[in-house]
């Protein structure tokens, strides 16, 4: 059978462009012994994929050139030569960017069909949701009364972090780019305050204004997705002993020059702050507890998935580029099935 695959043709310099990639048609033979054949229904795109397009040393190996890229996907088993999987099973894998593939059974994980929509396993009930959950509950050790500041708050991880913090009863300030996203934070996610950072000449002043408007003295938890001037503003407005969950720094992923902000790192010492970076893959021990909480919150109507969906593998690059142009809102998904 034929399958489409999105290959990396060359390593991008700065912002990735379409010419860095190629959509390739390949033949997929029947699965061999111990293998399972899967048709992907959904794949997701992540900012971390930008890191894997470069050959710089990181916590995961770089994508190979002229081969299919990898990423989270939900698919349906088509044929199986392994007793653990049967046609029709719903499976999670890291083998996105392709329509149909054979993989050893060990590369697949069963997911429950029916309770949650399949694409939720790429969003609030998948690694994206777990990232938000780990960052707030384990890394930042969010506790009663904390004021929480979330950057890239309307995105995949950010929108879930905002919802978890609201479910736990916290005051939440979110930052996102553009009037549409600011309204989403206020009207849909019901945050206490929201900042359209693209409309603010000084982000620190904007955060100070919103902190005051919600009757707070500062922030106690920063869920950092952006870095740069967002981190600088969070440091400036941090209360004593605030905790920073450093989840990502997307403002730095495509830069070719050294960053000039934050300029106020001494506040880490003067305010006794704790900044801790984390990688979700190191916290998979929380997965079962996380899935139980997320399912309960979803069924109670407290958790929803905002998503931007592109249709078909040919549009997958639009989904990926949208992460950096800010065109996406919520989780960025590609429907393949
Ligand atoms: N530590 C981990 O294990 C882990 C796991 C998953 C993700 N992450 C990190 O979490 C963050 C969010 O990832 P996601 O998958 O949920 O993506 P996302 O938030 O859905 O999409 C990225 C968003 O970042 C914002 N952005 C892009 N360039 C920016 C810039 N220069 N300045 C400010 N904002 C910018 C855009 O929103 P605006 O329109 O609001 O600018 C865009 O919508 C990323 O930093 C990612 O690397 C970390």
């Amino acid at each position: 059978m034929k399958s489409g695959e999105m290959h990396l043709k060359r390593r991008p310099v700065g912002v990735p462009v379409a010419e860095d990639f190629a959509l390739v048609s390949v033949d997929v033979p029947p699965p061999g012994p111990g293998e399972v054949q899967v048709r992907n229904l959904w794949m997701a795109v992540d900012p971390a994929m930008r890191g894997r397009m470069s050959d710089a040393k990181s916590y995961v190996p770089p994508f190979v050139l002229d081969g299919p890229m990898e990423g989270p996907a939900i698919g349906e088993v088509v044929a199986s030569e392994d007793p653990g999987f049967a046609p029709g099973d719903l499976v999670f894998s890291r083998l996105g960017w392709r329509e149909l593939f054979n993989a050893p059974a060990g590369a697949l994980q069963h997911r429950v069909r029916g309770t949650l929509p399949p694409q939720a396993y790429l969003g609030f009930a998948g690694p994206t949701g777990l990232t938000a959950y780990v960052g707030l509950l384990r890394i930042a050790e969010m506790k009663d009364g904390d004021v929480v500041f979330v950057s890239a708050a309307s995105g995949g991880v950010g929108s879930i972090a905002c919802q978890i913090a609201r479910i736990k009863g916290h005051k939440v300030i979110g930052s996102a780019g553009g009037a549409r996203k600011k309204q989403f934070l206020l009207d849909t996610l019901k945050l206490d305050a929201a900042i359209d950072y693209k409309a603010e000449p000084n982000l620190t002043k904007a955060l100070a204004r919103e902190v005051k408007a919600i009757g707070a003295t500062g922030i106690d938890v920063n869920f950092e997705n952006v870095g740069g001037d967002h981190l600088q503003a969070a440091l400036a407005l941090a209360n004593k002993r605030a905790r920073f969950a450093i989840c990502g720094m997307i403002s730095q992923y495509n830069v070719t020059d050294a960053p000039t902000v934050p300029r106020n790192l001494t506040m880490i010492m003067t305010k006794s702050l704790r900044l801790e970076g984390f990688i979700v893959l190191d916290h998979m021990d929380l997965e079962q507890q996380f899935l139980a909480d997320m399912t309960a919150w979803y069924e109670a109507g407290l958790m929803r998935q905002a998503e931007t969906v592109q249709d078909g593998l040919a549009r997958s690059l639009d989904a990926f580029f949208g992460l950096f142009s800010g065109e996406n809102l919520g989780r960025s998904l590609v429907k393949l099935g």
Side-chain angles (χ1 to χ4, degrees):
M1 278 196 274
K2 289 276 182 203
S3 169
E5 296 184 343
M6 191 60 78
H7 289 197
L8 183 66
K9 246 175 39 182
R10 64 180 189 201
R11 303 207 178 276
V13 178
V15 180
V17 293
E19 291 70 27
D20 297 327
F21 307 90
L23 182 56
V24 174
S25 176
V26 297
D27 286 314
V28 180
E35 282 189 338
V36 182
Q37 189 168 88
V38 176
R39 181 171 297 286
N40 273 334
L41 303 175
W42 294 87
M43 60 166 266
V45 291
D46 296 324
M49 291 166 176
R50 175 65 186 87
R52 296 190 69 186
M53 291 170 190
S54 121
D55 55 8
K57 193 169 175 343
S58 186
Y59 62 97
V60 276
F63 291 140
V64 294
L65 289 179
D66 297 318
M69 296 186 289
E70 294 176 0
I74 281 283
E76 181 175 292
V77 172
V78 178
S80 176
E81 294 298 328
D82 181 276
F85 292 90
D89 286 356
L90 193 67
V91 290
F92 174 88
S93 78
R94 300 259 167 206
L95 298 168
W97 296 104
R98 67 203 86 186
E99 294 166 331
L100 183 76
F101 62 91
N102 292 333
L108 308 173
Q109 293 166 17
H110 280 287
R111 287 293 179 261
V112 181
R113 198 183 266 284
T115 318
L116 305 174
Q119 73 270 35
Y121 292 111
L122 300 177
F124 69 82
T128 296
L130 184 58
T131 304
Y133 189 88
V134 164
L136 288 177
L137 302 180
R138 176 174 274 176
I139 306 298
E141 297 179 306
M142 197 168 61
K143 55 181 194 296
D144 286 354
D146 279 345
V147 172
V148 179
F149 176 50
V150 181
S151 55
S154 73
V157 174
S159 63
I160 299 165
C162 289
Q163 291 179 82
I164 295 174
R166 293 288 296 130
I167 289 167
K168 297 279 183 185
H170 296 273
K171 284 191 172 171
V172 184
I173 305 172
S175 171
R180 174 181 76 119
K181 291 185 175 184
K182 179 176 172 180
Q183 274 326 112
F184 167 77
L185 297 180
L186 294 171
D187 298 346
T188 306
L189 298 188
K190 309 279 183 215
L191 301 196
D192 300 277
I195 296 170
D196 166 9
Y197 74 88
K198 290 184 176 167
E200 300 287 351
N202 183 318
L203 191 53
T204 298
K205 283 187 182 162
L207 183 56
R209 183 189 69 222
E210 297 307 324
V211 162
K212 194 169 169 204
I214 65 168
T217 55
I219 61 166
D220 305 291
V221 166
N222 177 42
F223 193 99
E224 188 55 66
N225 284 319
V226 170
D229 56 354
H230 276 83
L231 180 54
Q232 178 162 285
L235 288 165
L237 271 299
N239 284 329
K240 190 155 191 195
R241 294 190 210 295
R243 286 91 59 212
F244 285 52
I246 308 295
C247 173
M249 299 216 177
I250 194 167
S251 66
Q252 312 299 310
Y253 296 171
N254 289 320
V255 296
T256 46
D257 297 324
T260 53
V261 280
R263 294 173 185 268
N264 55 351
L265 291 176
T266 50
M267 289 192 178
I268 299 170
M269 176 263 300
T270 56
K271 295 181 178 182
S272 303
L273 306 178
R274 178 162 65 76
L275 280 76
E276 185 174 342
F278 69 100
I279 296 295
V280 67
L281 296 174
D282 295 331
H283 299 273
M284 298 311 287
D285 59 297
L286 281 183
E287 194 177 28
Q288 290 313 314
Q289 180 192 329
F290 149 79
L291 268 175
D293 279 345
M294 279 295 178
T295 306
W297 291 334
Y298 176 75
E299 288 173 353
L302 298 172
M303 178 60 60
R304 52 166 284 157
Q305 177 147 310
E307 55 191 32
T308 299
V309 178
Q310 297 288 353
D311 212 356
L313 191 61
R315 301 293 305 274
S316 57
L317 292 177
D318 294 330
F320 180 66
F321 297 153
L323 295 173
F324 298 99
S325 64
E327 269 160 49
N328 68 324
L329 189 146
R331 186 65 170 131
S332 295
L333 300 172
V334 182
K335 194 171 192 313
L336 298 172

